Amino acid sequence: MANAINKIKKLELSEEEKRKKELMEMQEALVDNKSAILESLKLMRHMEDKGILPLLNGLVGQGDKVLNVFVKATDKEENTNALRNLLLMVGMLGTINVKELEPILLKMNRGIERVAEQKDTDKKTGLFELLKSLRDPEVNRAITLMLTFLKGVGEETGHKEKNTGQESDERAEIKNR
């Protein structure tokens, strides 16, 4: 009868065989991801051309120093307020209804164009000319729009305010005086 196997000896690959196996795995991965790798290389080339890669390398290489400078800069009250205001403004941009804003912006652009076309003169508009211009449909429409806008600006919006910090309390205190 045969003797029982007590030890299993694993087949160990030499260093050269391990390297060949890893090289084959890498080649297969390169072939499988060819388009992604080519696009990544294009992106890296553009970043190199624009000087972004050296900048990123410098930032990563000096990470602690850069982070220290950033923390010191944001520690100043005016910079903290600027960051807070920036975040608030970005949040407000999401609440703007662009479809309603576009016609108003187009009208403002047209008004600016007319002012630019108007030659700068010393001519003054008298009271009678002002009253006469109220009959002009364009002027009347503009005044109506401005009055509607002013009514909207005058509406109470406290219930919609997101910034309920100390600044709002200070404004309320000033308002009560």
Side-chain angles (χ1 to χ4, degrees), residues 96-167:
I96 294 174
N97 188 339
V98 178
K99 288 181 181 179
E100 291 178 359
L101 186 62
E102 183 183 21
I104 295 168
L105 292 175
L106 291 172
K107 290 176 182 180
M108 286 177 56
N109 283 339
R110 184 59 190 134
I112 292 169
E113 288 173 9
R114 282 195 174 186
V115 169
E117 292 169 1
Q118 182 72 31
K119 293 187 178 181
D120 195 19
T121 63
D122 291 334
K123 179 184 172 194
K124 296 185 181 203
T125 302
L127 182 61
F128 290 112
E129 289 174 333
L130 185 62
L131 291 173
K132 184 178 173 185
S133 68
L134 290 175
R135 288 192 218 149
D136 184 344
E138 291 175 350
V139 172
N140 197 299
R141 195 174 318 121
I143 290 173
T144 303
L145 284 173
M146 288 178 66
L147 289 173
T148 305
F149 174 76
L150 289 173
K151 285 180 183 179
V153 170
E155 282 182 12
E156 181 61 41
T157 59
H159 63 283
K160 293 183 179 181
E161 288 184 20
K162 293 180 182 177
N163 189 6
T164 58
Q166 186 177 0
E167 295 91 10

Side-chain angles (χ1 to χ4, degrees), residues 11-160:
L11 179 64
E12 292 189 23
L13 299 174
S14 67
E15 286 296 319
E16 186 178 322
E17 290 172 337
K18 286 181 186 177
R19 288 180 58 85
K20 282 183 182 179
K21 183 179 177 186
E22 289 173 355
L23 185 59
M24 288 297 291
E25 288 175 6
M26 287 178 61
Q27 284 178 340
E28 287 177 22
L30 287 172
V31 170
D32 291 344
N33 299 298
K34 175 186 171 188
S35 62
I37 292 170
L38 292 175
E39 288 299 316
S40 299
L41 290 173
K42 263 191 220 177
L43 177 65
M44 297 292 271
R45 171 58 47 207
H46 289 304
M47 290 172 68
E48 175 70 28
D49 292 343
K50 302 292 183 193
I52 295 172
L53 278 182
L55 175 69
L56 290 175
N57 282 330
L59 285 173
V60 171
Q62 300 293 321
D64 291 340
K65 291 179 184 177
V66 171
L67 186 60
N68 188 25
V69 169
F70 180 75
V71 168
K72 284 182 180 177
T74 55
D75 194 31
K76 296 178 183 174
E77 185 177 346
E78 62 269 12
N79 293 340
T80 305
N81 288 339
L83 287 172
R84 186 180 307 127
N85 291 342
L86 178 66
L87 292 173
L88 184 63
M89 287 172 45
V90 168
M92 287 302 297
L93 284 176
T95 64
I96 294 174
N97 188 339
V98 178
K99 288 181 181 179
E100 291 178 359
L101 186 62
E102 183 183 21
I104 295 168
L105 292 175
L106 291 172
K107 290 176 182 180
M108 286 177 56
N109 283 339
R110 184 59 190 134
I112 292 169
E113 288 173 9
R114 282 195 174 186
V115 169
E117 292 169 1
Q118 182 72 31
K119 293 187 178 181
D120 195 19
T121 63
D122 291 334
K123 179 184 172 194
K124 296 185 181 203
T125 302
L127 182 61
F128 290 112
E129 289 174 333
L130 185 62
L131 291 173
K132 184 178 173 185
S133 68
L134 290 175
R135 288 192 218 149
D136 184 344
E138 291 175 350
V139 172
N140 197 299
R141 195 174 318 121
I143 290 173
T144 303
L145 284 173
M146 288 178 66
L147 289 173
T148 305
F149 174 76
L150 289 173
K151 285 180 183 179
V153 170
E155 282 182 12
E156 181 61 41
T157 59
H159 63 283
K160 293 183 179 181

